[in-house]
Amino acid sequence: SAVISQKPSRDICQRGTSLTIQCQVDSQVTMMFWYRQQPGQSLTLIATANQGSEATYESGFVIDKFPISRPNLTFSTLTVSNMSPEDSSIYLCSVKGGFAGELFFGEGSRLTVL
Amino acid sequence: GQNIDQPTEMTATEGAIVQINCTYQTSGFNGLFWYQQHAGEAPTFLSYNVLDGLEEKGRFSSFLSRSKGYSYLLLKELQMKDSASYLCAVSSNYGQNFVFGPGTRLSVLP
């Protein structure tokens, strides 16, 4: 299994500001995944972060709103830009591993936008 | 596209057995995963099915029928700590796509 650390674990932000979430993995991985979980909802994939290339965004998510960096095989950041209250969610970093290729998740970053 | 459906909420009694169903529609199916998520925590992996049949893992079992697009998670000897959301997820496109269902919130009562 992989150990994934996320920072910050939670934050309260003002409308119109941006926040960068960091994700550190204890092993080298090709792909890192960023998910969003809105209150009471399931997980929605925002984008896949590939080392050495641009992130791949899912329908409904754009790079200007959620820029991603992937400087090496163990680290990634997700920025939530120009935040609004609708961005209040838990943001989860994830990697694949294990015998079944299951996903492992970081502890999540709970953002509240006022 | 993909469509995954689960019951929204279920309630069961401590010591009982509960079955949580998941139906899905997808192309290029690679596997079905079950996750447990306690309130305020990240999801944790429970089980995986890629072939039809039952996979047993202690108190938890998971079943898959690919022809019916159907899976269930069976929890036996329920404990209070099993109160959580249970998420069904489907992998497709050679594992490149991983889509989660809406989740089932299970409440275990004394």
Side-chain angles (χ1 to χ4, degrees), chain A residues 31 33 35 37 40-45 48 58 90 92 96 99-108 110, chain B residues 33 35 37 39-45 48 57 87-88 91 94-103 105:
Chain A
M31 293 187 290
F33 306 92
Y35 281 85
Q37 188 172 31
Q41 304 295 313
S42 188
L43 284 72
T44 302
L45 181 64
T48 301
E58 297 299 305
I90 301 173
L92 293 147
K96 279 190 187 175
F99 75 97
E102 65 268 30
L103 292 178
F104 295 95
F105 290 90
E107 311 95 327
R110 183 184 295 269
Chain B
F33 299 77
Y35 282 81
Q37 186 177 26
E41 298 181 10
T44 55
F45 170 67
Y48 165 69
K57 214 176 184 182
L87 305 168
C88 165
S91 172
Y94 304 104
Q96 299 304 306
N97 294 343
F98 214 104
V99 178
F100 284 84
R105 190 177 306 117

Side-chain angles (χ1 to χ4, degrees), chain B residues 14-68:
Chain B
E14 195 174 13
I17 299 173
V18 70
Q19 177 175 312
I20 302 174
N21 295 325
C22 170
T23 58
Y24 65 90
Q25 295 174 320
T26 188
S27 55
F29 176 86
N30 292 129
L32 189 136
F33 299 77
W34 284 95
Y35 282 81
Q36 180 190 60
Q37 186 177 26
H38 285 101
E41 298 181 10
T44 55
F45 170 67
L46 286 179
S47 70
Y48 165 69
N49 295 72
V50 64
L51 299 176
D52 290 354
L54 189 68
E55 294 286 339
E56 298 189 75
K57 214 176 184 182
R59 293 190 299 115
F60 293 7
S61 303
S62 57
F63 171 84
L64 175 67
S65 168
R66 289 172 296 171
S67 62
K68 296 181 180 177

Side-chain angles (χ1 to χ4, degrees), chain A residues 2 4 23-25 27-35 45 47-56 58 68-70 72-76 92-97 101-105, chain B residues 91-98:
Chain A
I4 305 171
C23 178
Q24 178 76 50
V25 188
S27 57
Q28 294 185 340
V29 293
T30 306
M31 293 187 290
M32 296 175 74
F33 306 92
W34 286 99
Y35 281 85
L45 181 64
T48 301
N50 306 298
Q51 200 275 331
S53 65
E54 292 285 330
T56 305
E58 297 299 305
I68 287 172
S69 79
R70 185 76 202 276
N72 58 53
L73 290 173
T74 63
F75 187 79
S76 178
L92 293 147
C93 172
S94 173
V95 302
K96 279 190 187 175
E102 65 268 30
L103 292 178
F104 295 95
F105 290 90
Chain B
S91 172
S92 63
N93 191 23
Y94 304 104
Q96 299 304 306
N97 294 343
F98 214 104

